[in-house]
């Protein structure tokens, strides 16, 4: 694959990740853009329900997507680009959210 094609794919994927994070932010934290709503609140709630840490709760959610991607890579079926994009985007975004969780924890334990 030529570098410019690869770079376009990466740029397009990162743009898709950003758009999805903004869209989901409005869905899960509708006032986040205009107030101090906690963008990580759903992960904190999930952790409380599961009796675990935010990181572990997030890992559980991410694992669902990784298992789906694993199946898609190994089951011999063909999948459309929209399905691949959805699963890859969700996985990348969970890792970006994990970064935010880790950063917030580091600030608290500073």
């Amino acid at each position: 694959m030529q570098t410019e094609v690869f770079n376009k794919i990466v740029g397009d994927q990162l743009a898709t990740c950003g758009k999805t994070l903004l869209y989901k932010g409005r869905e899960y934290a509708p006032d986040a853009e205009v107030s101090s709503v906690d963008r990580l609140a759903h992960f904190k709630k999930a952790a409380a329900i599961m009796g675990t840490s935010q990181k572990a709760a997030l890992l559980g959610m991410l694992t669902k997507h990784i298992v789906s991607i694993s199946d898609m890579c190994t089951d011999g079926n063909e999948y459309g680009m929209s399905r691949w994009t959805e699963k890859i985007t969700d996985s990348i975004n969970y890792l970006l959210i994990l970064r935010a969780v880790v950063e917030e924890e580091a600030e608290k334990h500073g």
Side-chain angles (χ1 to χ4, degrees):
M1 176 178 288
Q2 293 180 345
T3 300
E4 59 270 7
V5 174
F6 179 82
N7 290 344
K8 181 177 180 347
I9 291 168
V10 170
D12 290 348
Q13 181 62 60
L14 292 174
T16 299
C17 287
K19 289 176 192 172
T20 302
L21 282 169
L22 288 174
Y23 171 79
K24 293 291 186 176
R26 288 186 202 108
E27 179 180 342
Y28 292 114
D31 296 325
E33 292 178 12
V34 295
S35 71
S36 61
V37 171
D38 186 352
R39 282 294 305 269
L40 301 176
H42 276 77
F43 296 96
K44 293 172 183 171
K45 290 176 185 177
I49 290 168
M50 296 169 67
T52 190
S53 70
Q54 289 178 68
K55 290 183 292 223
L58 190 148
L59 179 62
M61 296 172 197
L62 170 59
T63 300
K64 177 183 80 131
H65 295 288
I66 298 299
V67 168
S68 182
I69 288 171
S70 174
D71 289 346
M72 290 170 67
C73 288
T74 60
D75 67 9
N77 294 322
E78 294 293 320
Y79 297 94
M81 281 307 302
S82 64
R83 181 86 179 269
W84 284 107
T85 299
E86 174 191 350
K87 296 300 179 182
I88 291 167
T89 298
D90 287 344
S91 298
I92 292 168
N93 284 348
Y94 275 110
L95 291 172
L96 293 171
I97 295 165
L98 177 60
R99 172 66 187 264
V101 168
V102 170
E103 291 272 347
E104 183 176 70
E105 287 180 359
E107 286 178 21
K108 287 180 182 175
H109 298 101

